[in-house]
């Protein structure tokens, strides 16, 4: 599976979570809390990414960037957009 297929699959899952009960998944709970909660999470993850880069910890940086990408995709989906 290539990276564009993985992004498409993740986008599909994020769309499915929009209609799910908040207690059924982390993403569904973020959607339920609304845009401000999603933006707060993106901001937190961005800050953690910057801190990991400043610390020079490559493993932690990769982890934080992945977390930032994920939450950014949640934001895109919330706004009716996708990674495409």
């Amino acid at each position: 599976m290539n990276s564009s297929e993985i992004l498409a699959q993740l986008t599909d899952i994020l769309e499915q979570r929009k209609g799910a009960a908040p207690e059924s998944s982390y993403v569904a709970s973020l959607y339920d809390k609304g845009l401000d909660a999603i933006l707060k999470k993106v901001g937190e993850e961005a800050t953690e990414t910057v801190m990991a880069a400043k610390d020079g910890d490559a493993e932690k940086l990769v982890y934080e960037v992945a977390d930032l990408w994920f939450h950014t995709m949640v934001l895109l989906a919330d706004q009716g957009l996708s990674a495409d």
Side-chain angles (χ1 to χ4, degrees), residues 31-49:
Y31 288 141
D32 185 62
K33 291 174 187 170
L35 181 59
D36 285 346
I38 295 168
L39 293 173
K40 180 179 177 187
K41 196 63 185 165
V42 170
E44 289 171 4
E45 298 306 336
T47 300
E48 290 171 4
T49 298

Side-chain angles (χ1 to χ4, degrees), residues 5-83:
E5 291 171 329
I6 292 169
L7 286 175
Q9 189 175 29
L10 180 54
T11 298
D12 289 343
I13 291 168
L14 293 174
E15 284 299 317
Q16 292 169 12
R17 296 295 192 267
K18 284 183 177 180
E23 61 275 359
S24 69
S25 79
Y26 170 71
V27 173
S29 73
L30 275 178
Y31 288 141
D32 185 62
K33 291 174 187 170
L35 181 59
D36 285 346
I38 295 168
L39 293 173
K40 180 179 177 187
K41 196 63 185 165
V42 170
E44 289 171 4
E45 298 306 336
T47 300
E48 290 171 4
T49 298
V50 169
M51 291 170 57
K54 293 246 340 146
D55 290 345
D57 184 339
E59 186 175 327
K60 186 172 182 183
L61 177 58
V62 169
Y63 175 85
E64 294 301 343
V65 167
D67 223 6
L68 177 58
W69 284 352
F70 175 77
H71 286 90
T72 302
M73 288 189 68
V74 171
L75 172 60
L76 288 172
D78 180 69
Q79 297 297 296
L81 303 168
S82 72

